[in-house]
Amino acid sequence: MDCADDGGPIVKRELPLTTPSVGGYTLVDAFPNVVFDIPSAIAWPKGDPAAAPFVLERTGQIKRIENATTARTVLDFGSQVHIGGEGGALGLVLHPQFGDGTGPKPYVYVWYNALPLLQRLQRYTWSTTL
């Protein structure tokens, strides 16, 4: 007989088929028509609540959600990423003065597992002309 950590029997339960309410909040699919492979981070430019967010995928792509219906790849550095195990591109942040990307610091920082098995923090410069 299998036992739980407290020594009692393990009770198997079915997972709920609906999303439970969490502290009065309900989960909503914000971008129902946009599909990502393995998203690991999302960042919105500060100062403009209607600005399109950036999404980082573990495979090494940064995508920008456009019109809440499509995602366009704006950077692909996948050839530098080690995706094995829990690796991959794991963190994305925009510089606090990123604004709309035309200011003096249009920087995007990415944390990822690089080949051959290195941790890397990389800064990219966003260009609005892309």
Side-chain angles (χ1 to χ4, degrees):
M1 177 164 96
D2 291 333
C3 294
D5 290 341
D6 63 2
I10 293 178
V11 178
K12 295 182 180 180
R13 295 186 176 96
E14 295 292 322
L15 291 174
L17 297 178
T18 59
T19 304
S21 175
V22 181
Y25 295 93
T26 303
L27 298 176
V28 175
D29 189 352
F31 308 107
N33 298 319
V34 182
V35 177
F36 297 101
D37 292 326
I38 311 171
S40 59
I42 187 168
W44 271 267
K46 290 184 179 181
D48 183 2
F54 293 88
V55 176
L56 175 67
E57 293 190 334
R58 281 186 55 202
T59 53
Q61 292 78 33
I62 297 176
K63 296 186 175 182
R64 188 128 197 228
I65 298 173
E66 298 175 342
N67 302 321
T69 59
T70 60
R72 177 175 61 98
T73 301
V74 295
L75 178 65
D76 186 345
F77 59 100
S79 63
Q80 302 171 34
V81 175
H82 174 70
I83 190 77
E86 294 180 4
L90 303 173
L92 168 77
V93 67
L94 304 176
H95 190 282
Q97 296 175 356
F98 182 90
D100 64 357
T102 62
K105 298 191 172 144
Y107 304 133
V108 178
Y109 298 90
V110 180
W111 176 262
Y112 64 98
N113 298 99
L115 294 169
L117 301 176
L118 301 170
Q119 300 282 314
R120 173 162 257 174
L121 175 63
Q122 186 113 9
R123 183 183 85 181
Y124 294 99
T125 302
W126 170 252
S127 173
T128 58
T129 60
L130 297 177

